[in-house]
Amino acid sequence: MSARWRHAFSEGTQLEVGGRVDRVSTKADEGKANTDLYYAYHGVRDTSRDDVEPSFSLRLVQRIGSGFDLTAGIARTSRAPDPRERYFGLKRMGADWVGNPELEPPKSNSASVNVTWNRGGAMLRAVGWFDRVDDYIILYSQERLNMAPGVMNTRAMSYANVQAEIVGVSAEASAAVSSRVFLSGSLSYVRGTQDPIAELGITSSDLAEMPPLSARLAARW
């Protein structure tokens, strides 16, 4: 269920508000799910779950002078853990790989600002955002908690919820320097951190799989 409302207060000011509620059901085939792995590493044998999560967004677009547009917004969104994150189960040599049926849906609380300038075939855009993610899902090494039939390893790769923060900035520019030559470039940087959980052996404050600082410069003739 979703709803959206948009209103132009003046020629240069527009407000947009949206909201939705999602109900997601996830279920593993009880005849195929390896519940012994769930029990050995997480102490549960659950194979199904229902999640109900609300989301909303608020976005303000403001024209500032000639050629400048400012967009600012806040939003709350969520997603259900995918079947692999909750119900995957694989016995391997040395270390197993198992989902976590008790994973909570990650909930993103974000704010962003976007400034764009256009004039005479040239464009410049700068974007900054901050994202506080409750129950962000990460991959980690989980110790075996219980003895279970056929589970011989003492550790498994699995999934856990952590509190995370992601901050990013990006900029891009383009210009037509003549009727045949077009220049463009971009720059982006993202920094992700997480709250360590000592009891799970999660000691690093750096969030994995964050893209590196990147830049691009191009010319087209």
Side-chain angles (χ1 to χ4, degrees):
M1 181 176 64
S2 64
R4 187 171 298 276
W5 177 78
R6 181 181 299 167
H7 181 71
F9 291 97
S10 64
E11 184 178 349
T13 304
Q14 181 173 285
L15 179 67
E16 184 177 291
V17 180
R20 61 184 290 169
V21 177
D22 295 298
R23 182 182 185 274
V24 180
S25 298
T26 56
K27 182 179 177 63
D29 188 329
E30 296 180 1
K32 298 178 180 179
N34 193 333
T35 58
D36 288 334
L37 281 175
Y38 306 160
Y39 178 74
Y41 293 104
H42 295 292
V44 298
R45 295 183 180 274
D46 299 338
T47 57
S48 64
R49 175 155 170 177
D50 293 332
D51 296 294
V52 178
E53 291 291 339
S55 301
F56 79 89
S57 64
L58 184 151
R59 189 169 73 108
L60 176 67
V61 180
Q62 176 68 55
R63 178 156 294 175
I64 306 173
S66 177
F68 280 95
D69 289 311
L70 171 67
T71 302
I74 59 174
R76 182 193 188 276
T77 58
S78 66
R79 74 166 181 90
D82 65 39
R84 173 179 51 103
E85 293 167 336
R86 273 188 176 158
Y87 302 120
F88 187 73
L90 177 65
K91 293 181 181 179
R92 306 187 303 174
M93 292 292 293
D96 299 314
W97 197 303
V98 60
N100 182 353
E102 295 192 309
L103 284 177
E104 295 293 332
K107 293 165 281 291
S108 168
N109 305 281
S110 63
S112 64
V113 177
N114 181 330
V115 179
T116 304
W117 175 77
N118 285 282
R119 178 173 290 180
M123 184 278 294
L124 176 64
R125 177 181 293 115
V127 182
W129 70 91
F130 172 81
D131 197 355
R132 173 70 176 179
V133 186
D134 300 326
D135 297 315
Y136 188 94
I137 296 176
I138 66 166
L139 189 65
Y140 78 112
S141 179
Q142 168 67 44
E143 292 186 358
R144 188 179 65 195
L145 303 177
N146 304 296
M147 296 297 295
V151 180
M152 307 304 295
N153 293 321
T154 59
R155 304 193 72 87
M157 296 304 297
S158 191
Y159 302 89
N161 291 120
V162 298
Q163 301 299 104
E165 292 184 355
I166 303 173
V167 179
V169 292
S170 66
E172 60 178 311
S174 62
V177 297
S178 73
S179 61
R180 295 188 177 186
V181 180
F182 182 82
L183 300 179
S184 63
S186 64
L187 179 72
S188 64
Y189 175 72
V190 178
R191 170 68 173 153
T193 59
Q194 64 187 13
D195 294 344
I197 306 177
E199 57 268 28
L200 295 182
I202 302 171
T203 58
S204 174
S205 61
D206 295 322
L207 202 59
E209 299 182 356
M210 291 291 101
L213 173 67
S214 62
R216 180 184 65 87
L217 183 63
R220 187 177 69 193
W221 177 77

